[in-house]
Amino acid sequence: MDSAWGQNLNGEWVSFDATGEWLHALQHLSVAHVQCGLAALNDAAAEAVSQGRTAWPPDSPMLFAKACRLRPEPLGLPSIEVAWRNVQEHAFAGKPFMHEAVAAAAEHVDLHNLRSASYHQLTEHRRQFEHYYASNSRECVVERVARGAAMRPQAALEHDARRRQAELAERASNEQAAQRAEAAGLPQRMNSDQGLRAMRAALGRA
């Protein structure tokens, strides 16, 4: 028995891609795309077996490339259904986001209006979420994961920036205090008793 993937000769499987046709046709795919393609083939094979059919791999590189559409699950992300349910639980009950990728996509959903949305509006909210979570857009979550881009939501990034600014301000304040202490002839590090005596001495000189 043989196929476009190879031929069984004397119990050995010999590849037919000696000319590099598959490699050339699929070189534009990333590792993440190939992961999704292999997962899709595994799913198709499992379904075929459950139905008593024989499962065969695609017989051309282009057919395999069509199976390599990016999907959340092969990349370690929650499925669209699970992620959307988590968004609703977050909006209605304050449940934490299960993954930073879900939080990143949920930033594009009006969570406040989601609580009072009609069925039609709820459908539109879900469509908006799916676009930013798993679509062909380069700004969606699965595309960003495939590129190795950061997943932290913008709100989290802004929080980190504010915290960093606060840390820098505190460091500058401590450095200024140390400089004043050095100018006054005081040690930069004092225990509580030394600090109390220094304060009393300073008040006594005032």
Side-chain angles (χ1 to χ4, degrees), residues 143-151:
E143 284 280 354
R144 291 162 60 188
V145 169
R147 297 195 308 269
M151 278 293 98

Side-chain angles (χ1 to χ4, degrees), residues 2 20 24 41 65 75 87 95 97 111 132 134 148 158 175 183 187 198 201 203 206:
D2 56 31
H24 177 74
L41 294 185
L75 302 181
V87 171
K95 185 175 180 178
F97 287 116
L111 298 179
Y132 286 99
E158 292 174 354
E175 290 176 353
L203 290 175

Side-chain angles (χ1 to χ4, degrees), residues 135-184:
S135 69
N136 294 325
S137 170
R138 282 185 59 82
E139 60 191 355
C140 80
V141 163
V142 293
E143 284 280 354
R144 291 162 60 188
V145 169
R147 297 195 308 269
M151 278 293 98
R152 287 184 65 77
Q154 186 62 33
L157 294 175
E158 292 174 354
H159 172 74
D160 289 347
R162 289 194 297 269
R163 184 176 63 181
R164 177 62 176 165
Q165 290 174 351
E167 291 174 349
L168 290 175
E170 181 181 4
R171 182 184 303 173
S173 177
N174 291 339
E175 290 176 353
Q176 291 175 358
Q179 291 173 357
R180 288 195 297 268
E182 184 178 0

Side-chain angles (χ1 to χ4, degrees), residues 2-206:
D2 56 31
S3 76
W5 284 64
Q7 184 177 24
N8 192 348
L9 299 175
N10 300 323
E12 295 183 0
W13 196 256
V14 181
S15 172
F16 275 165
D17 195 32
T19 62
E21 175 190 1
W22 281 72
L23 180 62
H24 177 74
L26 303 176
Q27 62 182 349
H28 66 286
L29 297 177
S30 68
V31 173
H33 283 88
V34 174
Q35 283 180 312
C36 291
L38 293 176
L41 294 185
N42 287 335
D43 292 343
E47 182 179 359
V49 170
S50 68
Q51 296 175 357
R53 297 184 289 106
T54 300
W56 287 99
D59 57 7
S60 75
M62 296 309 298
L63 286 178
F64 177 70
K66 289 181 64 176
C68 293
R69 179 179 60 85
L70 293 177
R71 296 184 296 141
E73 299 94 315
L75 302 181
L77 303 177
S79 68
I80 293 177
E81 288 293 336
V82 172
W84 175 241
R85 184 163 59 248
N86 181 221
V87 171
Q88 294 181 86
E89 292 171 343
H90 177 83
F92 286 95
K95 185 175 180 178
F97 287 116
M98 64 193 314
H99 195 286
E100 60 182 8
V102 179
E107 284 195 328
H108 302 279
V109 178
D110 190 336
L111 298 179
H112 177 73
N113 289 337
L114 180 63
R115 302 187 189 100
S116 57
S118 64
Y119 177 80
H120 174 74
Q121 292 169 332
L122 192 65
T123 301
E124 179 60 23
H125 282 305
R126 171 165 178 158
R127 186 199 65 78
Q128 184 80 352
F129 173 76
E130 288 186 7
H131 173 76
Y132 286 99
Y133 188 69
S135 69
N136 294 325
S137 170
R138 282 185 59 82
E139 60 191 355
C140 80
V141 163
V142 293
E143 284 280 354
R144 291 162 60 188
V145 169
R147 297 195 308 269
M151 278 293 98
R152 287 184 65 77
Q154 186 62 33
L157 294 175
E158 292 174 354
H159 172 74
D160 289 347
R162 289 194 297 269
R163 184 176 63 181
R164 177 62 176 165
Q165 290 174 351
E167 291 174 349
L168 290 175
E170 181 181 4
R171 182 184 303 173
S173 177
N174 291 339
E175 290 176 353
Q176 291 175 358
Q179 291 173 357
R180 288 195 297 268
E182 184 178 0
L186 299 174
Q188 294 188 14
R189 296 183 178 275
M190 297 182 291
N191 58 32
S192 58
D193 290 337
Q194 290 173 328
L196 184 58
R197 287 196 298 269
M199 289 177 61
R200 288 173 176 170
L203 290 175
R205 291 196 300 268

